[in-house]
Amino acid sequence: MESRVGKSIKNTVFGMVGLLISQIFSFIARSIFINILGVEYNGVNGLFSNILQVLSLAELGFATSIAYALYRPLKEHDEKTTAMLMNYFAKIYRIIALVAGCCCIPFLQYLISEDISELSFSIGQLRIYFGMYLANTVCSYLLAYKRTIITADQNAYLVSNVDNLCNIGLNILQIILLYLTKSFYAFLGIMIAKTVLNNLILHLVAGKKYP
């Protein structure tokens, strides 16, 4: 069995290399995004990304706490306690996803600038854009609890590899679609599909590794 020191080294190496490559592709995709869609859409992209990052605060360290609580049962092969914690985690994350989605929708109009008439898109389009960003955030919660058990067992490199590969694939597809369609809807649609696929892969990996 691989030692915890060996796992830590593997996690660090895979994480740093994968992150570097992923950031390079992300930079290229962002540059092409600005060149094709312009600074207005880049501003919307940045604004909504920052706003919805606040939703991650809904965890309040919950994922870290569960990961810490999983260390002992995983080490002692206590499947009953592990299953109990994972089921509890799943319920909490689904509640967070539901609350996050429902709480944001009534406040959409307050996120819209008053000089919307000067922009190249309508208020209705802006609300759809935000709805797609919100859908992406909510989707990220639905299966995210499964990645915690992988991390808690010091196999974070598996999570890093899946995340980075999906991010690279996302950027490549977004670049292709931007050139073909010049559509912000297509850009956001790929983003949502990537989030679902990313979490689904980790869900399957965790299910197979920790049946």
Side-chain angles (χ1 to χ4, degrees):
M1 182 178 293
E2 188 176 9
S3 68
R4 291 191 174 272
V5 174
K7 286 184 175 181
S8 296
I9 294 173
K10 183 185 289 186
N11 290 338
T12 302
V13 172
F14 276 92
M16 291 179 64
V17 173
L19 181 61
L20 176 61
I21 297 173
S22 178
Q23 289 299 314
I24 292 173
F25 275 89
S26 180
F27 175 77
I28 295 172
R30 179 56 56 87
S31 299
I32 294 173
F33 176 94
I34 295 174
N35 287 333
I36 293 178
L37 294 181
V39 292
E40 287 184 354
Y41 281 97
N42 185 54
V44 170
N45 185 50
L47 172 65
F48 288 165
S49 295
N50 291 335
I51 290 172
L52 292 178
Q53 278 180 358
V54 176
L55 292 183
S56 65
L57 297 176
E59 284 188 338
L60 296 175
F62 187 75
T64 303
S65 299
I66 291 294
Y68 179 79
L70 282 168
Y71 283 140
R72 176 173 290 181
L74 282 171
K75 183 178 180 180
E76 298 175 352
H77 303 288
D78 183 352
E79 295 184 359
K80 182 177 180 180
T81 302
T82 301
M84 179 186 70
L85 285 169
M86 290 303 295
N87 287 331
Y88 176 65
F89 195 19
K91 291 178 182 177
I92 294 297
Y93 250 146
R94 286 164 187 157
I95 292 173
I96 291 174
L98 179 63
V99 171
C102 292
C103 287
C104 283
I105 292 174
F107 300 101
L108 291 184
Q109 64 270 26
Y110 300 111
L111 304 174
I112 301 171
S113 173
E114 293 181 0
D115 58 352
I116 186 69
S117 59
E118 299 178 6
L119 301 178
S120 58
F121 38 78
S122 66
I123 293 179
Q125 286 177 304
L126 203 59
R127 285 175 175 158
I128 294 174
Y129 296 153
F130 184 81
M132 294 180 75
Y133 271 99
L134 180 60
N136 182 64
T137 300
V138 171
C139 286
S140 70
Y141 282 118
L142 296 180
L143 296 175
Y145 67 97
K146 283 293 185 75
R147 69 173 57 219
T148 303
I149 192 172
I150 301 175
T151 303
D153 200 28
Q154 289 199 320
N155 287 314
Y157 75 95
L158 292 174
V159 176
S160 297
N161 287 346
V162 172
D163 286 348
N164 290 325
L165 286 173
C166 285
N167 285 334
I168 292 170
L170 164 73
N171 290 326
I172 291 173
L173 286 175
Q174 285 180 330
I175 290 170
I176 293 172
L177 282 177
L178 281 173
Y179 274 117
L180 292 177
T181 67
K182 296 180 174 56
S183 169
F184 194 39
Y185 290 116
F187 180 88
L188 297 180
I190 291 295
M191 181 179 70
I192 296 172
K194 172 262 176 184
T195 298
V196 173
L197 179 62
N198 194 341
N199 283 296
L200 181 59
I201 292 173
L202 289 174
H203 177 82
L204 295 175
V205 169
K208 183 176 181 180
K209 194 172 181 63
Y210 309 99

